[in-house]
Amino acid sequence: PTMKKRILTLVAVLLASAAAAQNTTAYFMEGTTFRSQLNPAFAPLQGYVNIPVLGGVSVNMNGNLSLDRILYPVNGSLVTLLDGAVPAETALDGLHSRNLLGLDTRVNLIGFGSFTRNHRNFWSFDLNLRVMTETHLPYELFDFLKRGQSTTIRDIGVYAESFIEAGFNYSMPITDKLYVGARAKFLVGAGRAHLNIDRFDVSLNEDSWTADASGRIDVTAAGLDFETTPTSDGRETFQLDDADYSFKGPAGYGFALDLGATYQVLPDLQVSLAVNDLGFICWSKSDTRTGVMNKDLNFEGVVIGGPDAPEADFDLGEFEFETAAAPATTKMLRATINAGVEYDLLRHKLGLGLLYNVRLWKYKALHNLMASVNYRPIRWFTLTGSYSFVENRAHAVGFALNCCPSWINFYLATDILVGKHTPQFLPVKQNSINLTLGLGIPIGPRSKRVAAYTPGGNVNYR
């Protein structure tokens, strides 16, 4: 496949995965088992056993591009901005100098938890599969692929990692107003990859294209190897198409912490703070393959740009990397900060929430501010509506519901059900897609956390 096709595939995979922040709409949705993933001080109303895989699925995509700047309807079908049927002026109009896309997927494989005998302390165990991907694509890359003009391209970046996390969470009251929680997580790395093309300069000669490219790739996976080719000067080189992989076990181990707290400032006013994914993974140096690239490429008889032009045959698989020593393999996780405040009305039946979320990605820190209205007509049922702003831009309208009577625990939170959609039901006026759902079975007694300072000694359901 050509480079253009590979980029198209990359974008399509990100979109199909429905991609980096956590789904913040669920933050104020009481009773959900997923809520403690956002702040470990939050406990559900009752113990639970999650249904494997269906017990908790969270898929989130964030970036600085709305989907209508990536996907375009053409003759009843949906194509990407790189399709020849999309005019260059239209495709390039909504792009930024640095275009970012991030994917964060979490699948709960095993999950269960319960209150202790005092019905106030809560513990839980979760086994999750996590996959995270980030891309950093400069404007000049798209300009070259659409217009076919000589240009200087810098900093094309792709980063991906996958790991299993086994986490034990414990939350408890310190005072009648202060409740804290912590989750210790043991991490088992499945694999990671980091491709960074520092320079990709292309120029049009009389009858051919010339590309001056340099970059680096680091890949870690047990059972991965590249077939190398010796050079006349004693070096060894490999190409991406020369990869051979068969799974042979973990590729790294690590540890992380989630820390959280809630504080009841007034009987109807609660503030909360959490810092998640404070940790690292030590990737196996022996399972890491590193290559550096510095190569001039020549392509004859290729025309780029225009709806009828053939594609540029710039195949990433042809990029030749020289084998190099593996770098330091301890990598920090992407931490997340959640700071919230909620005010209750109508004796806890209605809540107004405000949440500030920061996700520290490799290429950029993404800031999100969300306002929500949370309606609780009865203790075991919650409806939430939210409106989010990302990087000071109106972002998305979210919806969530939680149903947790004595026989089932079901929750759903998403921001793709409202707003304008394509015929394929993809939202086109927002730069994120977030979907979180879970299904579990309640067990054990319900919470009896009582706030002594609450007028009348009412039960504090939080």
Side-chain angles (χ1 to χ4, degrees):
T2 65
M3 179 181 184
K4 186 173 179 181
K5 287 181 179 178
R6 289 173 183 265
I7 295 175
L8 279 167
T9 302
L10 172 63
V11 174
V13 167
L14 288 174
L15 295 175
S17 300
Q22 297 163 330
N23 191 344
T24 54
T25 300
Y27 190 84
F28 298 106
M29 193 168 59
E30 292 187 358
T32 66
T33 58
F34 177 78
R35 197 181 182 210
S36 69
Q37 301 287 341
L38 302 172
N39 187 330
F42 290 143
L45 300 179
Q46 193 171 1
Y48 65 91
V49 174
N50 282 339
I51 296 177
V53 180
L54 296 179
V57 177
S58 178
V59 186
N60 309 287
M61 182 192 76
N62 273 16
N64 60 358
L65 288 177
S66 58
L67 294 184
D68 62 328
R69 300 299 185 181
I70 302 174
L71 303 174
Y72 291 85
V74 175
N75 298 325
S77 61
L78 208 59
V79 299
T80 72
L81 77 167
L82 296 180
D83 192 277
V86 181
E89 293 75 14
T90 301
L92 300 175
D93 180 59
L95 298 181
H96 302 276
S97 60
R98 295 292 179 264
N99 301 281
L100 306 173
L101 285 174
L103 163 71
D104 189 346
T105 301
R106 182 198 306 261
V107 178
N108 181 239
L109 305 177
I110 300 173
F112 52 87
S114 177
F115 281 96
T116 60
R117 290 184 177 182
N118 64 8
H119 297 176
R120 290 165 62 84
N121 299 9
F122 189 84
W123 65 268
S124 64
F125 175 82
D126 292 281
L127 185 67
N128 300 311
L129 169 64
R130 297 186 61 181
V131 179
M132 292 178 284
T133 303
E134 299 175 57
T135 63
H136 176 273
L137 304 176
Y139 175 91
E140 292 79 10
L141 175 62
F142 296 98
D143 183 70
F144 164 66
L145 292 174
K146 294 299 295 184
R147 299 183 189 274
Q149 299 176 350
S150 301
T151 187
T152 298
I153 303 174
R154 293 289 185 272
D155 296 331
I156 301 173
V158 179
Y159 184 85
E161 64 181 1
S162 176
F163 57 90
I164 297 286
E165 65 174 18
F168 179 80
N169 184 78
Y170 195 85
S171 57
M172 63 182 180
I174 301 299
T175 68
D176 286 336
K177 296 184 179 183
L178 178 63
Y179 204 85
V180 299
R183 176 181 291 105
K185 301 189 290 190
F186 178 66
L187 312 177
V188 179
R192 72 174 184 99
H194 183 198
L195 171 65
N196 192 77
I197 300 178
D198 303 307
R199 182 180 72 256
F200 188 71
D201 300 340
V202 289
S203 58
L204 175 62
N205 300 320
E206 192 170 311
D207 58 356
S208 66
W209 286 96
T210 299
D212 178 18
S214 71
R216 182 185 183 94
I217 186 171
D218 295 296
V219 183
T220 304
L224 173 70
D225 208 350
F226 289 96
E227 181 181 346
T228 60
T229 301
T231 63
S232 58
D233 55 1
R235 297 178 294 116
E236 289 190 338
T237 62
F238 65 88
Q239 297 178 332
L240 298 184
D241 288 343
D242 296 331
D244 181 25
Y245 176 70
S246 59
F247 179 75
K248 292 185 178 180
Y253 299 92
F255 180 80
L257 284 174
D258 297 345
L259 303 173
T262 66
Y263 186 77
Q264 203 76 28
V265 180
L266 297 171
D268 295 319
L269 179 65
Q270 184 186 78
V271 296
S272 58
L273 177 66
V275 181
N276 299 328
D277 288 336
L278 289 172
F280 60 91
I281 298 180
C282 291
W283 295 96
S284 170
K285 197 168 185 178
S286 62
D287 292 323
T288 299
R289 301 294 179 264
T290 297
V292 294
M293 172 183 62
N294 196 333
K295 184 180 181 182
D296 292 331
L297 305 173
N298 292 285
F299 303 91
E300 297 182 357
V302 175
V303 180
I304 303 175
D308 299 322
E311 295 178 339
D313 194 19
F314 288 174
D315 189 348
L316 284 178
E318 294 181 359
F319 282 7
E320 194 171 75
F321 294 88
E322 179 183 345
T323 58
T329 53
T330 299
K331 301 298 180 181
M332 301 299 294
L333 298 185
R334 310 288 179 253
T336 301
I337 301 173
N338 293 317
V341 56
E342 184 180 19
Y343 187 77
D344 287 335
L345 302 168
L346 304 177
R347 297 178 64 83
H348 196 64
K349 291 186 181 297
L350 188 68
L352 304 178
L354 187 66
L355 176 69
Y356 176 61
N357 169 272
V358 182
R359 180 65 188 270
L360 304 178
W361 290 86
K362 180 176 181 61
Y363 296 107
K364 183 179 176 63
L366 290 180
H367 302 261
N368 176 51
L369 183 65
M370 182 201 72
S372 69
V373 177
N374 314 291
Y375 179 55
R376 298 176 282 264
I378 50 181
R379 188 186 184 192
W380 52 265
F381 185 79
T382 303
L383 283 175
T384 293
S386 67
Y387 191 75
S388 299
F389 305 82
V390 171
E391 302 292 300
N392 298 319
R393 297 186 302 273
H395 164 63
V397 176
F399 165 81
L401 67 87
N402 179 61
C403 180
C404 53
S406 59
W407 58 279
I408 195 173
N409 193 335
F410 171 77
Y411 61 87
L412 170 69
T414 182
D415 56 13
I416 65 174
L417 296 181
V418 296
K420 184 178 178 181
H421 294 79
T422 68
Q424 293 80 12
F425 202 68
L426 285 174
V428 296
K429 291 296 182 183
Q430 61 191 68
N431 54 4
S432 81
I433 299 177
N434 297 291
L435 175 64
T436 300
L437 60 90
L439 187 64
I441 302 173
I443 61 172
R446 287 181 175 265
S447 168
K448 292 185 179 180
R449 292 166 57 184
V450 177
Y453 57 90
T454 303
N458 295 327
V459 173
N460 176 14
Y461 298 143
R462 312 165 76 151

